[in-house]
Amino acid sequence: ITQVHRGGQRRGYSVRTEQFRYTWWGDEETAQLYDMQADPREANNLAGDPAHAAACYNLAIVCRRSATWRVR
């Protein structure tokens, strides 16, 4: 798990598996999912692709738990 900061108070959490990198910015609208084997330059965000809904769901749970652990 990596905590990502973008502009001021915006925080995201990113988790990497062997195949995917998923970043959660606090809502599903801005989530990012990349297939690191097929798209190592992260050009095609798969988060909205129904074929990858299970991967997004599972990785989002990991990111949300991490966000909850780090709330100060």
Side-chain angles (χ1 to χ4, degrees), residues 4 8 11 20-21 33 37 40 44 53 57:
V4 183
R11 286 185 203 188
F20 295 110
R21 184 177 74 79
L33 177 72
Q37 294 172 354
N44 186 24
Y57 177 81

Side-chain angles (χ1 to χ4, degrees), residues 43-63:
N44 186 24
N45 184 359
L46 301 171
D49 184 344
H52 294 91
C56 280
Y57 177 81
N58 292 327
L59 295 171
I61 289 171
V62 174
C63 285

Side-chain angles (χ1 to χ4, degrees), residues 23-71:
T23 303
W24 181 67
W25 293 100
D27 60 59
E28 301 313 310
E29 305 292 318
T30 57
Q32 298 170 308
L33 177 72
Y34 297 102
D35 184 330
M36 301 307 291
Q37 294 172 354
D39 181 22
R41 293 194 174 162
E42 301 177 4
N44 186 24
N45 184 359
L46 301 171
D49 184 344
H52 294 91
C56 280
Y57 177 81
N58 292 327
L59 295 171
I61 289 171
V62 174
C63 285
R64 287 183 190 138
R65 285 183 182 154
S66 179
T68 303
W69 294 334
R70 289 174 171 79
V71 170

Side-chain angles (χ1 to χ4, degrees), residues 2-33:
T2 304
Q3 187 176 29
V4 183
H5 292 273
R6 250 193 213 162
Q9 298 296 319
R10 186 145 189 221
R11 286 185 203 188
Y13 295 87
S14 186
V15 63
R16 174 85 191 260
T17 67
E18 208 170 295
Q19 183 173 4
F20 295 110
R21 184 177 74 79
Y22 177 85
T23 303
W24 181 67
W25 293 100
D27 60 59
E28 301 313 310
E29 305 292 318
T30 57
Q32 298 170 308
L33 177 72

